[in-house]
Amino acid sequence: MWKPDRKSNQPLYQQIADDLEQRISYGEFPPGSLLPSERKLADQLGVNRSTVVLAYAELRSLGIIESRSGSGTRVSRTKWGATPKHTPNWHRYAEGGNFLPNLPFLRRIRVALEQDPSIIDFASGELAGDLAPIDEINAIMNEKQNTSYWGYDNPQGYMPLRQALVSFLKEYRGIHTTESSILITSGSQQSLYLITQCLLSPGDAVAIEDPSYSYSLPMFQSAGLRLFRLPVDERGVQPEDIRSLFKKHKIKMMFINPNFQNPTGTLLAEERRKKLLDVASELGLPIVEDDPFSLTAYKGTPPSPLKSSDAIGSVLYIGSFSKIAASGLRVGWMVAPHSVVERLADARQQMDFGLSVVPQKVAATFLESPFFDPHMDRLRSTLLYKRDLIIEVIQKEMPDLVEYHIPDGGLHLWCKIVPEVNDTKLLDAAIQRGVIFVPGSVYGSDSSYVRLTFARARTEDIHTGISRFAEALRSTLEIEN
Amino acid sequence: MWKPDRKSNQPLYQQIADDLEQRISYGEFPPGSLLPSERKLADQLGVNRSTVVLAYAELRSLGIIESRSGSGTRVSRTKWGATPKHTPNWHRYAEGGNFLPNLPFLRRIRVALEQDPSIIDFASGELAGDLAPIDEINAIMNEKQNTSYWGYDNPQGYMPLRQALVSFLKEYRGIHTTESSILITSGSQQSLYLITQCLLSPGDAVAIEDPSYSYSLPMFQSAGLRLFRLPVDERGVQPEDIRSLFKKHKIKMMFINPNFQNPTGTLLAEERRKKLLDVASELGLPIVEDDPFSLTAYKGTPPSPLKSSDAIGSVLYIGSFSKIAASGLRVGWMVAPHSVVERLADARQQMDFGLSVVPQKVAATFLESPFFDPHMDRLRSTLLYKRDLIIEVIQKEMPDLVEYHIPDGGLHLWCKIVPEVNDTKLLDAAIQRGVIFVPGSVYGSDSSYVRLTFARARTEDIHTGISRFAEALRSTLEIEN
Ligand SMILES: Cc1ncc(COP(=O)(O)O)c(C=O)c1O
Ligand SMILES: Cc1ncc(COP(=O)(O)O)c(C=O)c1O
């Protein structure tokens, strides 16, 4: 985002007015559109509100913008010639469509991260720079490229990557599959999107965990699905709950993240897994298994996916590089029966023509390289170190204020705030102090939970981050009482 | 696709039975699902039908599959244990959802290209390997990488690419814009998808050119839009047609590809451009300008986009690397008012979390590199050479059978077949002879048109390709008469 230059001879308000005039003339803000409020723009640019007031006054005097009390400041329509011309009402278009906007908390978090890159980030569900295989990826990209063609590829995905995944899934996840059963997607996110858009119809009922990552996705509502919740206890969901939901609501599909669930970190208990597959096969119910975290298990053998025991083909399996390598690669995959893969690949040809070949090549090379195993070992032990660190600091800074189960894998610590707290206020207080997290209500929980991601922040920032959080929490509690 | 090994000691039918058994046990074909017909599988594997008959008999004798007359061959359900277990009816799920399948002709073409990579390809609308900047892209990828983080990025797109595009659009397209007004997409395809899904609502009326690429996209129907057509003559669409459509049907948006239109190659005439913008601003109607081809102009200054004369902000502008560099990169962009960009970036966070950073880095580097201008010069002169070549060969092989306008840019030659011909039969005859094209009906024309893409085939194959096409055409006409 552009910021005024404080060292320039030109006054700040004039720089801001000039920049706005240019943006308006270039079409970023078309005639009739609403400009940010004075306060908001001042925040964004890091200037006093009075500076923005002056800048707007300047533009108003030039006839470029108009302010009317109660309806904010808009780009002038009359400026643009005497004959009546009409810019499309873009604002109304932007409000149309089938797509629900993202949750306000998530938008708030995105803006805060953009505005202050130095904030300590316990919110983004991903790996820190030092956990991702940066050097390995750079080295792979630097290998001699001998690609002879960079054309449209099969929308199902780049064949060498599908082949590499067949071996990977067999060796690391106990899943036996074929190249024709794999669809490459832009992360697990796109797998979920394709399933909700192409295999389900508006009005269909689906079951999701409560709390769960899925709950943070308006995607389900955008597809017109009716959501029913399966409570997650410390051993995961209860298979019998599914049977009763099925009877009551004709559930058409169930979504589950059985290994180190986001946000709770829970591992679905062994006997519940068996039971779950039995119930699904009894009901003919498809299970979507979202499994991005299992290989992050800090110690020992990572838990097996449901898919590896799925004898009759009830499970659509989703995996991703995001949580074990680099989320910016945008490489994920789905394992599904041929008819499903064909359908989804066909639909994708209308959406985006499939994933770019470049990251698919990088991912295929990485999976088959000698870098992979050492990277995974380092990842798991560093995550363990960071988990222990965040817990140690929490015990020091606010032992009486939060409760949690200690996770054995994944990137997050799910905390219950013991005294009741308003999570909007807590988030504000935290952002003010330079730390950010995700309120539990985003995942469908009540407001006394927070998700603290310890994988993303730099190790050396974890202590400061938790101190700031503890301070924010104390001050929020004080004001409330 | 797996093929049986003719040099093996194992009989072909046995190899096929073993392969199928494995695919079935891995879940590619779940219990109850339909297997390919004997004839189709024989075609795919390049064996006699009797071989497949034997393979199926073998699997039947093992109880793995069942055939019932009239309903084809299915994977057995009973094999899978005594208790009644139910695999989800994946087939029914694959038929659900909002997404219409791609057009049968386009699926047919995709399958034919996959099955016979040596076929001469006048169908794929993209550049041949020797026209794309392969060496340049490889060289860029081999430059020292010093990326320090590969995490989730802004779903609006990688900032250095948006910055590079601001300069590119100013210098090459006469479009003045800002980084905040640019959205990076997975090719123009995803721009179109986002617009139809997020800015329009089911039931909305939109205007598209006739014929047009848009017509080949079930995307419009999947979004529930009502399509109205604007006939394209040799100078493009008639702006007055829009006014009357608007009055009759309350058109909410118009889609146009004014420069070297796909499929016709037409350039919208100068006076119609001005008129079109006037009509749009009079009606407050948004225009989506899809402009992938303008920089391919074989000679002289490429035509300007509508967007460069869009004083009041009626135009959403869409561009892409696909037709000027490499379609496999999947890098496209949209220039739009801020409120629209924000909305679409937000929606994308639910669909795919934005484009992979890797191809975006490659594209940004390429645009700003000294490779770009020489590449474009070479591209334009080679396209001119190929256009002249295909016309020369057509004049030699079938001067009396086809008519066309000579395009000054783009990748395609749009031909009218003079005697009436059935395009399904013509496509079959062509595929049999090892050449492939797109029937005009895909773009909404009547069946006497074909689109011959001369950019994709290797220069040395163009002569053979046209000879084969001429042969296919003659034989189809003969049978018909
Ligand atoms: C359970 C779960 N599924 C899917 C995703 C989407 O990740 P990606 O699309 O990067 O693979 C996430 C990311 O947080 C997640 O936690
Ligand atoms: C007019 C037009 N628009 C959009 C596209 C989609 O191309 P891409 O998504 O590769 O940019 C094409 C491809 O043929 C096209 O011809």
Side-chain angles (χ1 to χ4, degrees):
Chain A
M1 164 117 216
W2 177 85
K3 297 248 159 125
D5 177 3
R6 291 181 179 274
K7 298 202 199 86
S8 154
N9 288 332
Q10 225 191 4
L12 288 181
Y13 86 89
Q14 189 63 56
Q15 293 180 45
I16 296 172
D18 289 353
D19 179 64
L20 278 172
E21 185 177 353
Q22 194 181 53
R23 287 174 192 269
I24 291 168
S25 76
Y26 286 3
E28 180 173 336
F29 299 104
S33 67
L34 200 62
L35 291 169
S37 72
E38 287 159 357
R39 179 193 304 279
K40 193 168 162 198
L41 188 59
D43 272 3
Q44 282 173 6
L45 299 176
V47 300
N48 288 330
R49 189 168 156 199
S50 58
T51 312
V52 175
V53 171
L54 282 176
Y56 277 5
E58 171 79 11
L59 293 172
R60 218 161 18 236
S61 74
L62 297 169
I64 293 172
I65 64 172
E66 299 166 340
S67 309
R68 228 170 290 165
S69 64
S71 79
T73 302
R74 292 182 183 273
V75 178
S76 162
R77 295 185 182 274
T78 49
K79 173 83 182 162
W80 309 88
T83 51
K85 298 204 166 175
H86 307 286
T87 301
N89 187 337
W90 289 117
H91 205 73
R92 203 157 64 216
Y93 282 92
E95 281 171 350
N98 304 318
F99 255 81
L100 295 177
N102 277 308
L103 301 180
F105 270 139
L106 294 180
R107 294 153 70 107
R108 176 82 214 279
I109 290 169
R110 197 167 86 209
V111 170
L113 286 168
E114 268 168 34
Q115 281 179 5
D116 177 7
S118 73
I119 203 167
I120 296 178
D121 183 1
F122 294 142
S124 305
E126 60 174 339
L127 303 178
D130 60 353
L131 283 182
I134 307 296
D135 296 339
E136 292 88 333
I137 291 179
N138 288 343
I140 286 169
M141 295 206 30
N142 287 347
E143 274 169 26
K144 188 106 204 77
Q145 298 293 329
N146 53 4
T147 305
S148 59
Y149 189 56
W150 293 101
Y152 289 120
D153 194 33
N154 189 326
Q156 197 185 327
Y158 183 59
M159 184 50 101
L161 176 57
R162 286 190 273 144
Q163 285 161 342
L165 282 168
V166 167
S167 317
F168 166 81
L169 289 167
K170 187 165 147 203
E171 186 178 341
Y172 293 85
R173 310 280 61 228
I175 295 172
H176 295 264
T177 188
T178 55
E179 293 98 44
S180 358
S181 309
I182 293 180
L183 178 72
I184 308 294
T185 58
S186 175
S188 333
Q189 189 76 8
Q190 196 178 34
S191 291
L192 293 170
Y193 179 66
L194 288 166
I195 292 169
T196 54
Q197 284 287 320
C198 305
L199 302 182
L200 295 166
S201 303
D204 281 353
V206 302
I208 63 174
E209 295 166 288
D210 172 21
S212 97
Y213 173 72
S214 304
Y215 200 78
S216 71
L217 304 175
M219 173 205 287
F220 285 85
Q221 284 100 325
S222 297
L225 304 176
R226 289 179 299 138
L227 297 182
F228 295 94
R229 292 137 162 256
L230 300 164
V232 173
D233 64 27
E234 64 281 18
R235 303 167 65 232
V237 297
Q238 306 247 27
E240 283 308 321
D241 289 351
I242 295 154
R243 197 194 307 271
S244 53
L245 275 188
F246 183 86
K247 285 200 182 124
K248 256 200 256 162
H249 304 290
K250 294 209 162 236
I251 296 296
K252 292 208 55 178
M253 204 174 265
M254 130 164 218
F255 293 78
I256 187 167
N257 171 201
N259 295 322
F260 313 128
Q261 200 241 14
N262 181 0
T264 62
T266 311
L267 195 63
L268 182 63
E270 203 50 59
E271 76 284 2
R272 292 193 183 177
R273 291 175 184 244
K274 211 187 141 338
K275 196 71 210 282
L276 179 62
L277 287 171
D278 285 347
V279 171
S281 70
E282 187 190 317
L283 306 174
L285 180 74
I287 297 180
V288 176
E289 178 178 27
D290 188 7
D291 189 34
F293 302 112
S294 53
L295 291 181
T296 62
Y298 312 138
K299 285 191 223 166
T301 313
S304 297
L306 290 171
K307 181 71 189 166
S308 64
S309 331
D310 171 33
I312 69 153
S314 305
V315 178
L316 296 185
Y317 179 80
I318 298 177
S320 171
F321 266 124
S322 290
K323 314 295 175 181
I324 57 170
S327 42
L329 277 183
R330 306 307 305 131
V331 173
W333 49 88
M334 189 192 310
V335 179
H338 191 60
S339 54
V340 170
V341 169
E342 277 219 314
R343 175 80 189 92
L344 301 186
D346 191 69
R348 261 191 99 176
Q349 197 134 9
Q350 296 174 46
M351 294 179 182
D352 63 9
F353 267 140
L355 203 65
S356 179
V357 182
V358 189
Q360 296 191 79
K361 284 188 71 130
V362 172
T365 312
F366 180 54
L367 270 183
E368 291 184 326
S369 75
F371 297 136
F372 188 71
D373 287 328
H375 160 68
M376 289 305 301
D377 289 343
R378 185 172 64 95
L379 172 66
R380 294 163 68 188
S381 57
T382 316
L383 282 174
L384 176 59
Y385 181 83
K386 287 180 123 172
R387 180 204 69 179
D388 287 345
L389 179 62
I390 198 170
I391 288 179
E392 185 190 316
V393 184
I394 288 176
Q395 286 312 326
K396 200 172 139 220
E397 299 280 336
M398 46 180 185
D400 45 332
L401 296 178
V402 302
E403 286 172 359
Y404 46 82
H405 287 277
I406 298 180
D408 295 319
L411 320 186
H412 317 294
L413 187 70
W414 178 242
C415 301
K416 183 173 166 61
I417 308 288
V418 181
E420 192 78 47
V421 70
N422 174 314
D423 59 7
T424 310
K425 290 194 186 139
L426 179 57
L427 185 61
D428 283 344
I431 292 175
Q432 266 175 31
R433 287 171 178 77
V435 63
I436 197 161
F437 64 92
V438 186
S441 60
V442 162
Y443 306 105
S445 285
D446 69 38
S447 72
S448 269
Y449 284 86
V450 297
R451 192 191 79 175
L452 300 176
T453 300
F454 51 83
R456 176 69 183 93
R458 287 184 306 171
T459 306
E460 58 269 36
D461 288 340
I462 288 183
H463 198 141
T464 317
I466 292 296
S467 306
R468 291 180 184 171
F469 179 85
E471 222 181 278
L473 178 54
R474 287 218 172 78
S475 85
T476 314
L477 291 171
E478 262 162 38
I479 297 168
E480 288 194 343
N481 298 317
Chain B
M1 165 115 219
W2 176 84
K3 297 246 160 130
D5 176 4
R6 289 179 181 278
K7 297 201 201 89
S8 154
N9 287 333
Q10 225 192 3
L12 288 181
Y13 85 90
Q14 188 63 54
Q15 293 180 45
I16 296 172
D18 288 353
D19 178 64
L20 278 172
E21 185 177 352
Q22 195 181 50
R23 286 174 192 271
I24 291 167
S25 74
Y26 285 4
E28 180 172 338
F29 299 105
S33 68
L34 201 61
L35 290 169
S37 71
E38 287 159 356
R39 179 193 303 280
K40 194 169 162 197
L41 187 60
D43 274 3
Q44 283 172 5
L45 299 177
V47 300
N48 289 330
R49 187 166 159 201
S50 57
T51 311
V52 175
V53 171
L54 283 176
Y56 277 4
E58 172 79 10
L59 293 172
R60 218 161 18 238
S61 74
L62 296 168
I64 294 171
I65 64 172
E66 300 167 340
S67 309
R68 228 171 290 163
S69 64
S71 78
T73 302
R74 292 183 183 271
V75 177
S76 161
R77 293 184 183 274
T78 49
K79 173 82 182 160
W80 307 88
T83 52
K85 297 203 168 176
H86 307 285
T87 301
N89 188 336
W90 289 117
H91 206 72
R92 204 158 64 216
Y93 282 92
E95 280 172 351
N98 305 317
F99 255 82
L100 295 175
N102 276 308
L103 301 180
F105 269 140
L106 294 180
R107 294 155 70 105
R108 177 83 214 278
I109 290 169
R110 198 167 86 208
V111 170
L113 286 168
E114 268 169 32
Q115 278 178 7
D116 177 7
S118 74
I119 202 166
I120 296 179
D121 181 2
F122 294 141
S124 304
E126 61 173 337
L127 304 177
D130 60 354
L131 283 181
I134 307 297
D135 296 339
E136 292 88 332
I137 291 178
N138 288 344
I140 286 169
M141 298 211 20
N142 287 346
E143 276 168 24
K144 188 104 203 80
Q145 300 292 328
N146 53 3
T147 305
S148 59
Y149 189 55
W150 294 102
Y152 288 121
D153 194 31
N154 188 327
Q156 196 184 329
Y158 183 60
M159 184 50 99
L161 176 57
R162 287 191 272 144
Q163 285 162 343
L165 282 168
V166 167
S167 316
F168 166 81
L169 288 168
K170 186 166 150 201
E171 184 178 342
Y172 292 87
R173 307 283 62 229
I175 295 173
H176 295 266
T177 188
T178 54
E179 294 100 41
S180 358
S181 308
I182 294 180
L183 177 72
I184 308 294
T185 57
S186 175
S188 333
Q189 189 77 8
Q190 196 180 33
S191 291
L192 293 170
Y193 179 67
L194 287 167
I195 292 169
T196 54
Q197 285 286 321
C198 304
L199 303 182
L200 296 165
S201 304
D204 282 351
V206 302
I208 63 173
E209 295 167 289
D210 173 20
S212 98
Y213 173 72
S214 303
Y215 201 76
S216 70
L217 303 176
M219 174 204 290
F220 285 85
Q221 284 101 324
S222 297
L225 304 176
R226 290 178 298 137
L227 297 182
F228 295 94
R229 291 136 163 260
L230 301 164
V232 173
D233 65 27
E234 63 282 15
R235 303 167 64 233
V237 297
Q238 307 246 28
E240 284 307 321
D241 290 351
I242 294 153
R243 198 193 304 273
S244 52
L245 276 189
F246 184 85
K247 285 198 183 125
K248 256 198 258 162
H249 305 289
K250 295 210 161 235
I251 296 294
K252 291 210 52 177
M253 205 176 264
M254 132 165 217
F255 292 79
I256 186 166
N257 171 203
N259 295 322
F260 314 128
Q261 200 241 14
N262 180 3
T264 63
T266 311
L267 196 63
L268 181 63
E270 204 51 57
E271 74 284 4
R272 292 192 184 178
R273 289 175 187 244
K274 209 187 142 341
K275 195 73 211 281
L276 180 60
L277 287 171
D278 284 347
V279 172
S281 69
E282 188 190 317
L283 305 174
L285 180 73
I287 298 180
V288 175
E289 178 178 30
D290 188 7
D291 188 36
F293 302 112
S294 52
L295 292 181
T296 62
Y298 311 138
K299 284 191 225 166
T301 313
S304 296
L306 291 171
K307 180 73 190 165
S308 65
S309 329
D310 171 33
I312 68 152
S314 305
V315 178
L316 294 186
Y317 180 80
I318 298 177
S320 172
F321 266 123
S322 290
K323 315 297 174 179
I324 58 171
S327 43
L329 276 184
R330 304 308 306 128
V331 174
W333 49 88
M334 188 191 312
V335 179
H338 192 59
S339 54
V340 171
V341 168
E342 278 220 313
R343 174 81 188 91
L344 301 185
D346 191 68
R348 262 192 98 176
Q349 197 133 10
Q350 296 173 47
M351 294 178 181
D352 63 9
F353 267 140
L355 204 65
S356 179
V357 181
V358 190
Q360 296 191 79
K361 282 186 73 130
V362 172
T365 313
F366 180 54
L367 270 184
E368 292 185 325
S369 76
F371 297 137
F372 188 71
D373 287 328
H375 161 68
M376 289 305 301
D377 290 344
R378 185 172 65 95
L379 172 65
R380 295 164 66 187
S381 57
T382 315
L383 281 174
L384 176 59
Y385 180 84
K386 287 179 121 170
R387 180 203 71 178
D388 287 346
L389 179 62
I390 198 170
I391 287 179
E392 185 191 317
V393 184
I394 287 175
Q395 285 313 325
K396 198 170 140 224
E397 298 281 337
M398 49 179 185
D400 46 332
L401 296 179
V402 301
E403 285 172 0
Y404 46 82
H405 288 277
I406 299 179
D408 296 318
L411 319 186
H412 318 292
L413 188 70
W414 178 243
C415 300
K416 183 176 165 60
I417 307 290
V418 182
E420 192 78 48
V421 68
N422 173 315
D423 60 6
T424 310
K425 290 194 184 138
L426 179 57
L427 185 62
D428 282 344
I431 291 174
Q432 264 173 34
R433 285 170 180 79
V435 62
I436 196 159
F437 64 92
V438 186
S441 59
V442 163
Y443 306 105
S445 286
D446 69 37
S447 74
S448 267
Y449 283 86
V450 297
R451 192 191 79 174
L452 300 177
T453 300
F454 50 84
R456 177 69 183 92
R458 287 185 306 171
T459 306
E460 58 269 36
D461 288 341
I462 288 183
H463 199 142
T464 317
I466 292 297
S467 308
R468 291 179 186 172
F469 179 85
E471 223 181 279
L473 178 53
R474 288 215 172 77
S475 85
T476 313
L477 291 169
E478 262 163 37
I479 296 168
E480 288 194 344
N481 299 318

